[in-house]
């Protein structure tokens, strides 16, 4: 009987999950129903539905993907609807607008993503959003690796995947000899405080717990900061302050074809490995079009 009911549900809702026990049927039907209604509402450009999807006040049954458009794609459409309405001067629910900015923060283009994070920060600082502390923590953890990567690339830094860039962290500790003049130094990416602006560093230290021996007297002084970043104490500070995972996140982000394409269009020096098979797509500019939000 359970198989028959599942078959009818599939036929009636233009989508189906692999057969599961009858105990899961009510949940699966609810997911299919919410997905279908959300998809139709986004296609109509329904602002109220888009706000509800972004804030999870509507279409809450989304614990599994459905064949066809993903929930992530639907959220992207919802963000586009909300941001377009906001740009037209229409009243938009602040919670939905914040979530739309956070969707935009996943844009393939790094400066655009950071711009959305800045907008989200400004809205959050306005003091009208629910659960501001949790939102701030999530925003900070997303912004830190993006900001570090952006400043590094903007300063002329190289992400050369044919080099040993991922070994730069260990070379800080083992005090590897300096590279030949003009050669890429994989340690540069990990000396990230040097290419952050003073405003960036102030924001960073205001939002993250930092550990000794790095204090304001050092990070506000470029010369002292430069010297500190070439000591064993810097490596130890880096490890204790939780930046290893954050910079790993930044490097993993810039591995993806779409992100590499967007970075190279900006003129950033990002070099993929030949075995990744990206050369033709990058040379032809045949990257996936950036989302409109």
């Amino acid at each position: 009987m359970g198989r028959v009911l599942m078959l009818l549900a599939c036929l009636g809702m233009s989508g189906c999950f692999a057969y599961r026990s009858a105990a899961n049927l009510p949940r699966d039907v609810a997911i299919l129903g919410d997905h279908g209604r959300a998809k139709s509402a986004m296609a109509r450009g329904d602002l109220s539905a888009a706000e509800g999807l972004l804030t999870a006040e509507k279409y809450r049954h989304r614990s599994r993907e459905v064949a066809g458009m993903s929930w992530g794609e639907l959220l992207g459409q919802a963000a586009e609807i909300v941001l377009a309405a906001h740009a037209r001067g229409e009243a938009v629910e602040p919670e939905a607008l914040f979530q739309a900015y956070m969707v935009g923060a996943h844009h393939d283009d790094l400066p655009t993503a950071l711009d959305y994070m800045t907008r989200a920060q400004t809205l959050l600082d306005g003091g009208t959003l629910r659960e501001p502390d949790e939102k701030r923590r999530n925003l900070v953890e997303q912004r830190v690796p993006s900001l570090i990567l952006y400043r590094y690339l903007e300063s002329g830094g190289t992400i050369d995947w044919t080099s040993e860039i991922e070994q730069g962290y260990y070379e800080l500790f083992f005090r590897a000899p300096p590279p030949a003049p003009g050669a890429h130094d994989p340690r540069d990416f990990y000396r990230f405080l040097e290419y952050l602006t003073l405003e960036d560093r102030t924001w960073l230290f205001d939002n993250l717990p930092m550990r000794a021996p790095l204090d304001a007297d050092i990070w506000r002084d470029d010369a002292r900061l430069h010297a500190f970043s070439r000591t064993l104490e810097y490596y130890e500070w880096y490890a204790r302050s939780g930046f290893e995972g954050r910079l790993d996140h930044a490097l993993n982000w810039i591995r993806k074809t779409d992100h590499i394409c967007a970075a190279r269009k900006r003129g950033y020096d990002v070099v993929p490995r030949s075995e990744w098979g990206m050369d033709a797509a990058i040379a032809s500019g045949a990257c996936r079009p950036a989302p409109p939000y």
Side-chain angles (χ1 to χ4, degrees), residues 38 42 46-62 71 74-76 78-79 82 92-103 123 128-131 135:
M42 297 310 105
D46 187 322
L47 176 58
S48 176
E51 290 174 325
L53 180 61
L54 287 166
T55 61
E57 293 174 359
K58 296 180 180 179
Y59 317 114
R60 295 182 177 182
H61 300 96
R62 42 179 122 158
W71 286 108
L74 287 173
L75 285 168
V82 166
V92 173
E93 184 183 347
E95 292 288 337
L97 183 59
F98 177 83
Q99 295 301 335
Y101 287 149
M102 293 305 291
V103 171
L123 185 59
T128 61
L129 299 180
R130 298 188 296 268
E131 301 177 336
K135 285 183 171 69

Side-chain angles (χ1 to χ4, degrees), residues 52-243:
L53 180 61
L54 287 166
T55 61
E57 293 174 359
K58 296 180 180 179
Y59 317 114
R60 295 182 177 182
H61 300 96
R62 42 179 122 158
S63 58
R64 298 180 62 194
E65 291 291 355
V66 177
M69 188 173 291
S70 70
W71 286 108
E73 290 172 310
L74 287 173
L75 285 168
Q77 290 187 357
E80 181 182 349
I81 292 167
V82 166
L83 292 173
H86 179 65
R88 292 192 299 267
E90 298 179 27
V92 173
E93 184 183 347
E95 292 288 337
L97 183 59
F98 177 83
Q99 295 301 335
Y101 287 149
M102 293 305 291
V103 171
H106 290 87
H107 200 286
D108 292 340
D109 181 61
L110 189 56
T112 301
L114 277 166
D115 178 63
Y116 280 115
M117 292 182 213
T118 299
R119 297 189 203 185
Q121 179 87 51
T122 300
L123 185 59
L124 183 57
D125 290 343
T128 61
L129 299 180
R130 298 188 296 268
E131 301 177 336
D133 292 341
E134 181 179 356
K135 285 183 171 69
R136 193 175 304 280
R137 283 193 298 271
N138 292 338
L139 178 57
V140 166
E141 285 302 328
Q142 185 165 351
R143 188 170 187 254
V144 167
S146 299
L147 179 63
I148 289 171
L149 180 61
Y150 170 67
R151 292 299 188 203
Y152 176 71
L153 292 172
E154 278 284 314
S155 69
T158 298
I159 300 291
D160 185 353
W161 289 109
T162 67
S163 73
E164 298 296 329
I165 187 168
E166 292 174 292
Q167 298 301 313
Y169 171 67
Y170 302 101
E171 291 185 13
L172 286 174
F173 177 74
F174 291 109
R175 311 296 293 274
H184 172 238
D185 187 343
R187 293 171 295 190
D188 286 345
F189 179 65
Y190 297 88
R191 293 169 175 151
F192 66 93
L193 289 174
E194 289 190 57
Y195 46 83
L196 294 180
T197 66
L198 179 58
E199 182 181 359
D200 294 337
R201 297 196 297 263
T202 301
W203 176 83
L204 194 70
F205 280 72
D206 283 346
N207 285 280
L208 290 177
M210 297 297 170
R211 299 176 182 273
L214 184 59
D215 57 24
D217 289 339
I218 296 176
W219 62 260
R220 287 184 177 277
D221 185 317
D222 289 344
R224 292 187 64 185
L225 187 61
H226 178 85
F228 176 70
S229 68
R230 283 154 178 77
T231 64
L232 182 59
E233 286 75 16
Y234 174 78
Y235 171 86
E236 294 171 345
W237 170 85
Y238 176 98
R240 290 197 306 268
S241 298
F243 282 101

Side-chain angles (χ1 to χ4, degrees), residues 216-282:
D217 289 339
I218 296 176
W219 62 260
R220 287 184 177 277
D221 185 317
D222 289 344
R224 292 187 64 185
L225 187 61
H226 178 85
F228 176 70
S229 68
R230 283 154 178 77
T231 64
L232 182 59
E233 286 75 16
Y234 174 78
Y235 171 86
E236 294 171 345
W237 170 85
Y238 176 98
R240 290 197 306 268
S241 298
F243 282 101
E244 183 176 4
R246 294 180 178 114
L247 269 70
D248 282 348
H249 177 82
L251 286 178
N252 287 332
W253 189 90
I254 200 64
R255 284 177 185 268
K256 298 178 182 178
T257 303
D258 300 323
H259 298 165
I260 291 176
C261 284
R264 288 172 67 102
K265 285 180 179 178
R266 286 275 183 179
Y268 298 149
D269 191 7
V270 182
V271 183
R273 292 176 182 157
S274 58
E275 60 265 29
W276 292 353
M278 297 182 186
D279 294 347
I282 291 172

Side-chain angles (χ1 to χ4, degrees), residues 31-52:
I31 293 171
L32 283 166
D34 272 2
H35 185 275
R37 285 187 289 272
K39 183 178 178 181
S40 297
M42 297 310 105
R44 295 194 306 271
D46 187 322
L47 176 58
S48 176
E51 290 174 325

